[in-house]
Amino acid sequence: MTDSSIKTSQAANDESLRDQLRALLKDGLETEVEPRAYTHEQVLDIVARLQQLEESNLEEKLKTAGFTLTPYRHEDDEQACETCMYYQLHRKFCELPELMLPAEPQWSCRLWRI
Amino acid sequence: MANLLWLQGGACSGNTMSFLNAEEPSACDLVTDFGINVLWHPSLGMELGDNLQQMLKDCISGSIKLDIFVFEGTVVNAPNGTGEWNRFAGRPMKEWVRELSNVADIVVAIGDCATWGGIPATAPNPSDSEGLQFLKRDHGGFLGKDFKAKIGLPVINIPGCPAHPDWVTQILVAVATGHAGDLAIDEFQRPKTFFQSFTQTGCTRNMHFAYKVSATEFGQRRGCLFYDLGCRGPMTHSPCNRILWNRQSSKTRAGMPCLGCTEPEFPFFDLAPGTVFKTQTVMGVPKDLPAGVDKKGYIKLTAAAKTAAPAWAEEDIFTV
Ligand code: SF4
Ligand code: SF4
């Protein structure tokens, strides 16, 4: 397989998974948007919970990480995936080892960090 | 010919090991090419017992001229200020340090322990350790903030855990050849020639720093270590990416975050669990920002750079 065919099939997989995630969130899945992971302990706690989950348990991953379809706002700041240091903008993918999920740039979760 | 005496206080000998690995110039070059006469050094000294004690006394009395006094390791004050936990040649080391510093033309502190206390002085500092002229950021230390060696200079600090071998030998050559007065030093008495630029200066990951692409694992070739793995390269003063280690590489080039070991606060956060190799954040923003950047500026810069990053920055461009 060439690099470009690997990328094409990866993009197709990502797209279908992203559609599933979007559908879950649009259908009103309630996620733990707050409290945000603003302290080191909170981050560790959420990450530990994510580590307990089966890789395929998308619903629980979304809930635990507190996903939203729009950026979370805090004072003047906008916490969108696209500015998060775990986000790959071109692949539209969250590289946080405990998530590893395709996400839209305007989505957000409470593990956001810049 | 310049007489040099090197003693060790509360230390692991790491700076001695480093010094013996020097290449430009080497420890031998100091003797053969630059006229340094090593009176005694813990790993090289020939004298033992009474002979060594006599040599130290002769330095203090002036019958042997002491040009350069090098100290590695902390000054240990425990227990109760006596210094008895670190005895050397028949008395507490701190007493030798005081008297030798008073007669030496130049005093050089090598490594974090001797400069500001380093790891031994980390809270709760059980050995009551301090550096020669600093305790962490506080000016003073064992010799006091007003101390000046005989030629009028304060202690010259060469920090690092350990200091790079060539920083040590190059500064020793400068002072032995009469150029000590030409050394510009910073507020922490570090020679600016080595400690004005940042660890980040010359790091091969700079483009990933610029485009805000993060490494998430040690040794990963792609990505910068600042965002997740606690790299202190943007706020640490050292030439680690200009004067390479073993003339080959550096921590950050090899995928290991800079620990900030040339700064007085090292080890940072008193080594509290979860603080080593992990970027500390407050509300999602790094607690310690690149030198000179404020929080608002950092957020704006990062958001803009992240969204402008080219696709290649997200890929591993280093193919084997
Ligand atoms: S960690 Fe960052 S990139 Fe990943 S989902 Fe959360 S906000 Fe988005
Ligand atoms: S790895 Fe460290 S030194 Fe290198 S660019 Fe990133 S923050 Fe700077």
Side-chain angles (χ1 to χ4, degrees):
Chain A
M1 256 183 148
T2 62
D3 273 3
S4 67
S5 56
I6 293 172
K7 270 193 193 157
T8 315
S9 86
Q10 183 185 61
N13 289 341
D14 284 357
E15 198 49 55
S16 101
L17 194 51
R18 203 177 293 112
D19 287 345
Q20 280 182 55
L21 301 176
R22 188 183 297 105
L24 283 167
L25 291 166
K26 275 203 165 150
D27 286 350
L29 181 75
E30 276 202 26
T31 67
E32 295 179 40
V33 180
E34 284 165 340
R36 309 297 286 176
Y38 282 160
T39 67
H40 187 60
E41 290 67 35
Q42 286 169 314
V43 174
L44 290 182
D45 182 54
I46 298 166
V47 164
R49 283 175 58 201
L50 287 168
Q51 283 166 345
Q52 304 299 315
L53 300 177
E54 292 283 329
E55 216 186 303
S56 55
N57 193 345
L58 300 178
E59 224 176 282
E60 277 308 313
K61 275 192 181 177
L62 293 181
K63 277 192 199 167
T64 311
F67 269 78
T68 50
L69 289 166
T70 49
Y72 182 89
R73 276 173 210 285
H74 176 82
E75 293 169 5
D76 290 345
D77 303 331
E78 203 180 79
Q79 302 178 357
C81 285
E82 76 176 332
T83 56
C84 174
M85 66 161 197
Y86 294 114
Y87 194 65
Q88 287 199 341
L89 191 72
H90 293 271
R91 188 181 163 192
K92 298 207 278 180
F93 193 86
C94 167
E95 257 202 326
L96 175 74
E98 287 74 21
L99 289 175
M100 295 301 272
L101 291 173
E104 289 293 346
Q106 289 302 300
W107 293 2
S108 181
C109 97
R110 59 184 173 150
L111 289 165
W112 176 90
R113 60 195 285 182
I114 192 163
Chain B
M1 185 70 89
N3 285 334
L4 178 150
L5 173 73
W6 180 312
L7 295 185
Q8 234 175 38
C12 69
S13 300
N15 287 284
T16 279
M17 293 300 126
S18 191
F19 166 67
L20 296 176
N21 277 301
E23 286 179 88
E24 284 188 17
S26 72
C28 291
D29 294 340
L30 296 190
V31 178
T32 55
D33 298 355
F34 296 102
I36 294 183
N37 175 39
V38 181
L39 292 172
W40 197 81
H41 176 285
S43 300
L44 304 173
M46 304 293 279
E47 307 296 345
L48 291 170
D50 291 346
N51 290 347
L52 170 60
Q53 201 176 48
Q54 192 54 50
M55 177 195 281
L56 299 177
K57 285 181 182 163
D58 288 347
C59 287
I60 292 166
S61 71
S63 52
I64 296 178
K65 180 164 175 1
L66 182 56
D67 297 292
I68 308 166
F69 175 45
V70 176
F71 194 60
E72 167 186 9
T74 61
V75 177
V76 172
N77 291 301
N80 308 316
T82 61
E84 290 287 340
W85 283 6
N86 179 202
R87 285 181 67 80
F88 180 74
R91 64 204 286 231
M93 176 61 93
K94 64 185 261 183
E95 292 175 12
W96 290 118
V97 171
R98 167 101 51 214
E99 291 175 22
L100 291 162
S101 299
N102 285 338
V103 296
D105 275 357
I106 294 164
V107 180
V108 183
I110 308 250
D112 281 352
C113 298
T115 50
W116 14 83
I119 290 177
T122 303
N125 192 359
S127 55
D128 198 0
S129 276
E130 58 190 334
L132 286 185
Q133 248 186 318
F134 283 86
L135 174 56
K136 302 293 173 182
R137 284 187 97 81
D138 295 337
H139 201 187
F142 177 65
L143 295 173
K145 68 176 169 40
D146 297 325
F147 171 84
K148 296 252 186 329
K150 267 171 94 183
I151 66 159
L153 291 178
V155 173
I156 296 172
N157 283 333
I158 309 180
C161 194
H164 187 294
D166 296 350
W167 311 343
V168 178
T169 54
Q170 287 178 26
I171 292 299
L172 290 181
V173 165
V175 299
T177 53
H179 293 288
D182 300 337
L183 290 174
I185 55 174
D186 71 6
E187 58 179 322
F188 294 113
Q189 297 165 207
R190 301 175 289 199
K192 284 188 180 175
T193 180
F194 294 134
F195 300 101
Q196 180 134 317
S197 61
F198 297 96
T199 309
Q200 191 177 37
T201 314
C203 178
T204 50
R205 296 170 188 270
N206 259 320
M207 57 192 185
H208 288 126
F209 177 80
Y211 288 128
K212 315 301 165 198
V213 176
S214 175
T216 48
E217 282 171 27
F218 299 122
Q220 197 174 301
R221 289 175 299 185
R222 190 209 66 182
C224 165
L225 305 155
F226 174 74
Y227 302 102
D228 196 28
L229 297 174
C231 185
R232 301 195 66 86
M235 50 272 194
T236 298
H237 297 87
S238 95
C240 289
N241 279 300
R242 293 194 292 130
I243 300 173
L244 298 179
W245 288 77
N246 297 319
R247 312 244 142 233
Q248 295 294 324
S249 193
S250 70
K251 284 196 190 87
T252 62
R253 289 180 181 209
M256 142 103 188
C258 162
L259 290 158
C261 81
T262 52
E263 298 295 334
E265 296 91 341
F266 174 83
F268 285 80
F269 308 111
D270 289 337
L271 296 172
T275 60
V276 182
F277 299 142
K278 192 75 202 157
T279 307
Q280 304 298 298
T281 55
V282 181
M283 300 170 97
V285 180
K287 225 183 224 173
D288 294 328
L289 294 170
V293 178
D294 66 13
K295 185 179 158 202
K296 259 198 161 28
Y298 174 83
I299 293 175
K300 275 193 191 144
L301 175 75
T302 305
K306 179 101 199 163
T307 46
W312 60 258
E314 292 177 358
E315 290 160 15
D316 189 353
I317 55 172
F318 302 102
T319 50
V320 188

